[in-house]
Amino acid sequence: MTIPAEVDRRFRDAAVAEGLVDAAYDLVDSPLLVGASSRGLCRISFDADRDPDAELERLADQFGARVLRVPAQLDAARRQLDDYFEGRRRTFELEVDLTGVPAFQQEVLRELALVPYAETATYGGLAQRIGRPRAARAVGGALNRNPVPIVLPCHRIVGASGSLVGYAGGLDRKRALLDLEDAGVS
């Protein structure tokens, strides 16, 4: 049985209106899966098309079992990501929900958000900025588990020598994002 698009949209809108959705998601510029809770953007996942069920399971584990594809809930994120990828946006104006993220990682991600567009910092430099100069590896671990890459720009963090290292989305993506921003990393 095929459900008419209008009926499907009304169902999803009603679920949101009644508070029956713990996390909404949509595929944006596939293969990105973007998720949001009622508190804000909570997930951007690369390659979600490979195993979308695993990513939806992670959303359910962290935010609640009621995960539903509700594209309208991600309109602002979709527009801002499109603008970023088309070179029209340098900063994001989205609420980010870091529910369940450990305190140290939240501290790292808050400082990461301050690294400007088209600029880079090092893991050690980021560790210094949070007052933990010997925690470069821990900073790297925190960035590797960044739930909202691109918006929280972990691609802007490079090795001590300026080399591209350690990006959960893959070094090719890191290079592409830095090239998009014309960050001048060799």
Side-chain angles (χ1 to χ4, degrees):
M1 172 170 52
T2 302
I3 298 172
E6 178 61 20
V7 172
D8 182 65
R9 185 194 59 76
R10 287 194 341 236
F11 164 77
R12 292 169 196 284
D13 290 349
V16 170
E18 292 296 321
L20 300 175
V21 177
D22 296 321
Y25 77 95
D26 197 14
L27 296 174
V28 177
D29 285 331
S30 189
L32 290 181
L33 181 139
V34 179
S37 72
S38 61
R39 292 178 292 284
L41 187 68
C42 62
R43 183 86 67 233
I44 295 177
S45 300
F46 295 109
D47 297 323
D49 55 344
R50 287 187 194 164
D51 191 1
D53 290 339
E55 191 53 45
L56 297 178
E57 188 75 28
R58 283 190 278 280
L59 275 172
D61 287 346
Q62 189 166 1
F63 293 97
R66 301 175 303 180
V67 175
L68 185 65
R69 187 170 188 177
V70 187
Q73 293 293 106
L74 286 300
D75 281 347
R78 182 182 307 102
R79 275 192 307 276
Q80 290 187 36
L81 285 164
D82 286 347
D83 287 349
Y84 170 81
F85 286 121
E86 292 171 9
R88 297 188 311 257
R89 176 171 291 279
R90 293 175 172 239
T91 60
F92 291 94
E93 298 163 1
L94 298 167
E95 292 295 320
V96 175
D97 182 358
L98 296 176
T99 298
V101 173
F104 174 78
Q105 186 180 9
Q106 285 188 31
E107 183 179 13
V108 170
L109 294 174
R110 277 192 299 276
E111 192 61 36
L112 170 68
L114 302 177
V115 177
Y117 182 91
E119 293 184 23
T120 60
T122 64
Y123 295 94
L126 201 55
Q128 289 266 111
R129 289 165 60 169
I130 64 168
R132 298 176 187 218
R134 298 173 60 125
R137 284 182 186 249
V139 164
L143 295 181
N144 187 48
R145 294 182 306 282
N146 178 359
V148 285
I150 303 169
V151 172
L152 294 178
C154 49
H155 61 277
R156 296 180 189 152
I157 307 302
V158 297
S161 67
S163 60
L164 298 186
V165 294
Y167 190 62
L171 292 181
D172 289 344
R173 280 200 184 96
K174 186 172 192 164
R175 160 75 58 211
L177 292 168
L178 290 170
D179 287 348
L180 173 74
E181 295 183 11
D182 197 21
V185 175
S186 53

